Amino acid sequence: MLTADHYSRLGLAGIYDKVLAGERLTLEDGARLFACPDVNAVGALAHHVRTRLTGDKAYYVLNRHVNYTNICVNGCLFCAFQKERAEQAGAFALSADEIVQKISDHGGMPFNEMHIVGGCHPALPLSFFEGVIRRVKGAFPAITVKAFTAVEIAHFAKLEGCTTLEVLTRLKEAGLRMMPGGGAEIFAPQVRERICPRKSDAQEWLRVHGEAHSLGLQTNCTMLFGHIESVEDRLDHLDRLRRQQDISGGFTCCIPLPFLTENSLLKLPVERLGEHTGLDRLKTIALCRLMLDNIPHIKAYWVMLGMKMAQAALYFGADDLDGTIVEEKIGHDAGAQSEQSMTIPGLHEMITRSGFTPVRRDAFYNPVNVNLTGADPAAVNCGADRKGGAA
Ligand code: V47
């Protein structure tokens, strides 16, 4: 921890006092932290908060991502994964058999979480997704199904001609227990209008999460940053998440996602390219930890950040690396340089080499026992090779 004198010299004495006292930071405090050139000083404050919340633990989960389709009616400019039409090269839509098959290919492994998302397909009905969840739960009853962004839920409701609450209720009955945080992007309407004009707006995204929380479903949230948004837009985004959490309380974790530019239709103005540095990513992760005082966990998603920055992020407020993933398309279509999959030993190595204590968790951050001698079948079977890449 840096000294009070140091923060005083930076003009951040008041913020330092608030962080140590566990008091809520204002948007003005957030703007001053973003403007502070001493990234380490900002990171140390976030590290203080993450240590107060989770000590030296760094969480990971044994999970698998499944993308059921990349065909999407929204056509978001930043998204390199989406295809507007089924006839386009590379477009796909998995059948229910293929989805269950993907999960069963790794059968016998003690996955804790199945992360299922896709584009907003123009025709797949809600009954298809109810059937998929029932089959996954039937085959693997212990798995937590974490599926469908708020944007997908709103899309299903439109196709079905019912409310989002009805969609959530039906999916919960089928076995849905958690929702991922995607689709939030940046809430500020003038940015949303430019990067994802057809997608649910902020009000709809937040309302669906509130409804999910009211049904007892836990959800995550994200922020896509490092594109055309301003620092004020980032703070506005965090403020809206914080206010929603004050009301409905069901966000478990926030995942700051740095914009990856390859194959994207969203072109950044040349003068802004230099802004999106690794230090900006670390500072933004720290700001998420500091502003979101009511959200328990901050995830350093190794797929988008890369292994080394994800490790560094553990000192900038993050306490979770996500998991084994197995197969990833959204980040890799956009140029992510990370591996497709991580093993349990690989995740352990990343965490211990960074000086933290690895804790394998379930989808809800409950610790799961793991036998590190290799007797855990997941440790030997999950993913292809051991791909550490630790710093
Ligand atoms: O919603 C799309 C983002 C999200 C790009 O909840 C991009 O546990 C960077 O939400 N560059 C999907 N990001 C991923 C996501 C997620 C991932 C891991 C865990 C969880 C969780 C959620 O990816 C999208 C969008 O915000 N995205 N394109 C891109 N070019």
Side-chain angles (χ1 to χ4, degrees):
M1 187 70 179
L2 299 173
T3 62
D5 274 358
H6 189 76
Y7 288 96
S8 202
R9 277 195 297 278
L10 291 168
L12 300 176
I15 294 177
Y16 173 86
D17 288 343
K18 278 190 192 178
V19 170
L20 261 62
E23 284 172 27
R24 177 160 284 193
L25 299 183
T26 63
L27 291 185
E28 291 70 32
D29 294 333
R32 289 173 63 206
L33 288 167
F34 262 123
C36 174
D38 187 339
V39 180
N40 280 328
V42 178
L45 291 176
H47 189 61
H48 177 80
V49 174
R50 80 81 88 194
T51 307
R52 188 166 62 211
L53 292 170
T54 43
D56 75 343
K57 296 189 192 100
Y59 293 97
Y60 68 92
V61 61
L62 188 53
N63 65 355
R64 194 204 200 288
H65 280 210
V66 179
N67 298 121
Y68 57 87
T69 186
N70 59 355
I71 302 167
C72 186
V73 298
N74 283 329
C76 301
L77 269 71
F78 56 82
C79 182
F81 169 68
Q82 57 97 18
K83 304 282 177 198
E84 295 215 34
R85 283 170 293 105
E87 307 74 43
Q88 265 175 274
F92 70 87
L94 302 182
S95 66
D97 282 348
E98 286 169 323
I99 298 171
V100 177
Q101 185 58 47
K102 268 187 187 287
I103 296 167
S104 309
D105 280 347
H106 296 271
M109 278 192 283
F111 279 125
N112 292 106
E113 176 188 284
M114 212 44 69
H115 175 123
I116 305 174
V117 293
C120 290
H121 190 282
L124 287 174
L126 183 57
S127 55
F128 172 82
F129 299 103
E130 291 175 296
V132 165
I133 297 178
R134 288 210 163 89
R135 284 183 62 183
V136 172
K137 288 297 289 180
F140 305 103
I143 282 181
T144 298
V145 177
K146 176 178 110 193
F148 313 124
T149 66
V151 176
E152 288 165 272
I153 299 292
H155 176 71
F156 300 158
K158 213 175 287 170
L159 285 185
E160 201 68 21
C162 67
T163 66
T164 47
L165 189 60
E166 283 165 336
V167 170
L168 289 165
T169 305
R170 277 171 62 178
L171 291 173
K172 185 182 173 193
E173 272 165 23
L176 182 73
R177 286 295 170 270
M178 190 159 192
M179 278 169 57
E185 322 314 355
I186 282 282
F187 290 139
Q190 71 280 6
V191 175
R192 243 178 146 72
E193 188 54 39
R194 287 175 62 194
I195 68 170
C196 50
R198 288 188 235 149
K199 199 170 222 168
S200 301
D201 63 11
Q203 286 72 20
E204 185 165 62
W205 192 97
L206 290 164
R207 192 198 73 235
V208 171
H209 279 267
E211 289 171 354
H213 299 169
S214 75
L215 294 176
L217 299 172
Q218 290 186 34
T219 73
N220 290 341
C221 54
T222 54
M223 175 171 74
L224 180 70
F225 69 97
H227 44 91
I228 60 166
E229 88 291 355
S230 65
V231 159
E232 289 70 34
D233 295 329
R234 292 182 193 178
L235 287 167
D236 167 72
H237 188 90
L238 298 178
D239 185 48
R240 292 186 201 224
L241 290 173
R242 189 166 73 177
R243 280 190 276 134
Q244 181 62 48
Q245 181 75 337
D246 279 342
I247 296 165
S248 56
F251 289 126
T252 303
C253 155
C254 177
I255 308 121
L257 297 167
F259 172 51
L260 306 178
T261 55
E262 239 172 74
N263 306 315
S264 167
L265 290 174
L266 181 64
K267 301 296 171 216
L268 300 184
V270 174
E271 68 275 12
R272 294 210 58 179
L273 290 175
E275 291 174 21
H276 303 313
T277 59
L279 291 180
D280 179 57
R281 291 179 177 187
L282 290 174
K283 196 191 267 185
T284 305
I285 292 164
L287 261 292
C288 288
R289 180 61 288 159
L290 289 165
M291 297 304 291
L292 298 175
D293 55 8
N294 51 5
I295 298 187
H297 302 284
I298 303 292
K299 185 181 289 186
Y301 185 40
W302 60 263
V303 170
M304 304 281 194
L305 289 170
M307 313 289 191
K308 289 174 182 164
M309 184 152 294
Q311 284 177 299
L314 295 175
Y315 284 97
F316 282 75
D319 66 332
D320 180 36
L321 291 179
D322 203 288
T324 45
I325 308 286
V326 181
E327 185 184 26
E328 203 286 330
K329 294 183 190 300
I330 298 171
H332 285 86
D333 284 353
Q337 297 296 307
S338 50
E339 305 288 348
Q340 276 285 330
S341 181
M342 281 290 283
T343 61
I344 289 184
L347 286 160
H348 267 249
E349 192 177 311
M350 274 179 82
I351 293 168
T352 51
R353 284 215 194 168
S354 312
F356 293 88
T357 301
V359 177
R360 179 170 154 200
R361 63 168 176 86
D362 67 12
F364 309 106
Y365 287 84
N366 300 306
V368 173
N369 284 333
V370 59
N371 178 350
L372 285 177
T373 61
D376 179 347
V380 288
N381 289 335
C382 181
D385 302 315
R386 181 176 163 174
K387 291 166 179 161

